[in-house]
């Protein structure tokens, strides 16, 4: 089956006639087009695109054959759960923000301590005493203000893990 749709249904109807003339069978036009579709409250999905600012920012990624715009859009549409913002979560979150991950949830119940500064490069002296999720979020947003960051200042337990993991693209622990 070939289903055609346009804004009002006129062009898709004419296109359907042309396809049938060329020998195609089972060609249908959506009566009323997208206007009627939306009026009925049926679901629509707008294509996700990179802004001009994002195209400049990620221009190096866009040149990589394995990434290009489709790959960058996957990064933008992803939601990563980062369990822990310490020695490993710290640099990983920096790279995720720099790469253009769209949403990051950081879970950590710890506070920034002076002893963290020599290995947790996301933090600075002014962060000492703050929850790691708060200091981390602030630093990451300075690097990439276009991402959404959710913070959870608690420990991951068997009681909350299912809720935390639900809907995430990937989990980093």
């Amino acid at each position: 089956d070939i289903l055609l749709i346009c804004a009002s249904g006129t062009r898709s109807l004419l296109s359907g006639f042309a396809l049938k003339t060329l020998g195609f069978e089972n060609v249908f036009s959506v009566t009323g087009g997208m206007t009627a579709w939306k009026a009925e409250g049926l679901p629509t999905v707008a294509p996700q695109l990179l802004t001009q600012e994002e195209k400049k920012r990620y221009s190096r990624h866009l040149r990589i054959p394995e990434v290009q715009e489709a790959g960058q859009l996957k990064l933008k549409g992803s939601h990563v759960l980062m369990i822990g913002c310490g020695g490993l979560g710290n640099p990983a979150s920096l790279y995720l923000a720099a790469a253009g991950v769209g949403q990051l949830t950081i879970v950590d119940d710890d506070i920034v301590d002076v002893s963290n500064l020599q290995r947790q490069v996301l933090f600075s002296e002014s962060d000492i005493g703050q929850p790691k999720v708060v200091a981390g979020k602030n630093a990451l947003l300075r690097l990439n203000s276009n991402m959404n960051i959710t913070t959870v200042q608690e420990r991951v337990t068997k009681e909350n893990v299912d809720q935390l993991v639900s809907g995430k693209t990937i989990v980093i622990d």
Side-chain angles (χ1 to χ4, degrees):
D1 291 344
I2 300 174
L3 183 65
L4 303 171
I5 190 166
C6 66
S8 67
T10 305
R11 286 173 291 155
S12 60
L13 187 62
L14 294 171
S15 297
F17 288 136
L19 288 172
K20 285 182 181 181
T21 302
L22 293 171
F24 288 90
E25 298 177 8
N26 300 323
V27 178
F28 305 95
S29 173
V30 176
T31 304
M34 284 302 295
T35 303
W37 185 279
K38 290 178 185 177
E40 290 289 322
L42 295 169
T44 61
V45 177
Q48 189 180 26
L49 303 171
L50 295 177
T51 65
Q52 288 304 315
E53 176 187 315
E54 289 170 323
K55 286 180 182 180
K56 287 180 188 174
R57 179 182 197 117
Y58 305 117
S59 64
R60 301 289 175 108
H61 282 176
L62 301 179
R63 293 182 208 159
I64 300 171
E66 296 83 6
V67 179
Q68 298 183 341
E69 189 162 352
Q72 193 63 46
L73 285 168
K74 283 183 182 181
L75 283 169
K76 182 180 179 179
S78 66
H79 187 167
V80 175
L81 173 63
M82 178 67 63
I83 299 175
C85 196
L88 297 176
N90 209 273
S93 63
L94 278 166
Y95 281 104
L96 290 170
V101 164
Q103 187 162 346
L104 178 65
T105 297
I106 307 169
V107 182
D108 197 310
D109 67 339
D110 201 5
I111 304 294
V112 179
D113 183 79
V114 69
S115 66
N116 301 139
L117 300 182
Q118 52 87 21
R119 68 190 187 288
Q120 296 176 16
V121 295
L122 189 60
F123 306 130
S124 64
E125 290 178 349
S126 63
D127 296 322
I128 294 172
Q130 288 188 47
K132 286 185 176 181
V133 294
V134 172
K137 177 180 180 175
N138 293 337
L140 293 170
L141 288 174
R142 282 192 299 273
L143 177 62
N144 187 345
S145 62
N146 292 321
M147 64 185 307
N148 296 311
I149 301 174
T150 303
T151 60
V152 180
Q153 189 181 347
E154 58 188 61
R155 201 167 215 30
V156 176
T157 65
K158 64 182 179 181
E159 289 79 26
N160 67 6
V161 70
D162 288 339
Q163 179 187 3
L164 290 169
V165 170
S166 178
K168 307 308 185 287
T169 309
I170 191 167
V171 176
I172 299 176
D173 181 8

